[in-house]
Amino acid sequence: MRSIQNLVCSLLIVTLSLLPLPSEAAPQAFRRDPGHPQWHHGAFQDVKDSVRSDVRRMLHSRAEVPFQVPLEVNIVLVGFSGDGGYRYTIDSHKLEEFLRVSFPSHRPSCLEAGELLDIEHHIVYNAFPAGQPELIELEKALKAAMVPAGTAREADFGREVPAFEVDATAVEPVFHRLYSYIFDMENGVNSAEDMDRPAPSAIFIVNFDKVRMDPRNKDVDLESLMYGRLPQLTEEEMKKQEGDYVYRYRYNGGGASQVWLSAGRFVVIDLSAGPCTYGKIETEEGSVSSKTLPRLQHVMFPRGLAAAGDHAAHDIFVGRVAALVATTIEHVIAPDVRYFETTVLTSGKETTSFLIDGKGCNKHHQELPSTDELAKVCLALILEPIAPNPHEGCSLSLQGN
């Protein structure tokens, strides 16, 4: 009898041990586990106090020109960890170092005056990869948002293939979830202190697997690939990575593009989208062609469908990606301004105005404002560079070098 009881108890223990524990949630994308390190906004948290004192000094003496201001730029590599198109890999640390050496600073200009501003940005680069679960979640959203749009050419003189369009506003919430997850901003802006805090600027450089997210292919279960090990591609599969279709983004009905600016603080550059072509055919300036942005197809098969490229082709591709980041900083994150004015009068009923391309501070004072107040206005304008309307996204045209 005792042996039967022991056997029953043993079977019960084994059965219970096989049941999932209530506290163990199923793995999910954008999940921040306990103990997950908080993202550190280096250029904001480390130098804000020193910048504040430097601004006060600049208001009293303009001897030090240009005024050096750090600008943090975050580059998020999506699909470049051997999990995206062509299973291609970019070393984020090497890209970060290349950017630091090649594009260490940027000094915007005043377009109306035709002169450089008295501010020069010392750029602090942070490059890091997104995880596979987040990549698959983005591919799921993109696949669901693709709408047939006739046919388009694979290149300037390529063959006609099916074309799809994606309303960027339909996938923007998923990119925003990734942004919030990376920078630990899931709780949103709830207090005056949060609203006062500078928000990180981010550039998402994307490399999706077009075969995996082909909207015509209903057999691929992207959910099952969320955490599983992705298979390596054969040489024949590598040749088919373009998927025999093209897709492009439109933001609120804007022009077709591979690049779009969100309503938040990030830009999306999708190297697997397009190519997009518009503008004058024989004019490089202001036009966009199939060669404007780098394409992995040209890296893997530089001579048509030849064997995969060599190390030099990889270095050229990384260099073009870095130049694309520099172009984004120059034209989107810290662009030239149309109008720049700083006026401080010294007696009577004064008007202190700070206008930078429509974003600034106009305050009428009965008496001369304090240096602390002026420093606060300058600090807000310097630490959070001017970009297009922060509440409205748009399609962009970037010309890589």
Side-chain angles (χ1 to χ4, degrees), residues 272-332:
S272 50
C276 298
T277 303
Y278 46 87
K280 294 182 179 180
I281 297 176
E282 297 180 356
T283 304
E284 291 186 5
E285 184 176 357
S287 64
V288 174
S289 73
S290 61
K291 298 179 181 179
T292 299
L293 299 186
R295 298 193 69 81
L296 277 172
Q297 182 184 28
H298 302 154
V299 178
M300 304 306 296
F301 305 105
R303 299 176 184 86
L305 297 180
D310 55 11
H311 187 71
H314 172 78
D315 290 343
I316 293 172
F317 179 77
V318 172
R320 293 195 65 191
V321 169
L324 193 57
V325 170
T327 301
T328 306
I329 294 171
E330 180 181 349
H331 294 287
V332 180

Side-chain angles (χ1 to χ4, degrees), residues 45-95:
Q45 295 180 356
D46 292 340
V47 301
K48 188 172 181 178
D49 292 336
S50 64
V51 169
R52 191 184 300 276
S53 62
D54 289 344
V55 167
R56 292 195 189 96
R57 187 168 62 252
M58 182 186 71
L59 290 172
H60 289 288
S61 171
R62 297 173 62 84
E64 296 181 9
V65 175
F67 177 57
Q68 297 288 329
V69 178
L71 170 62
E72 182 187 56
V73 177
N74 303 287
I75 302 97
V76 184
L77 300 174
V78 182
F80 286 100
S81 299
D83 48 7
Y86 295 95
R87 301 298 183 268
Y88 200 75
T89 300
I90 290 181
D91 188 320
S92 58
H93 297 293
K94 290 184 178 179
L95 175 62

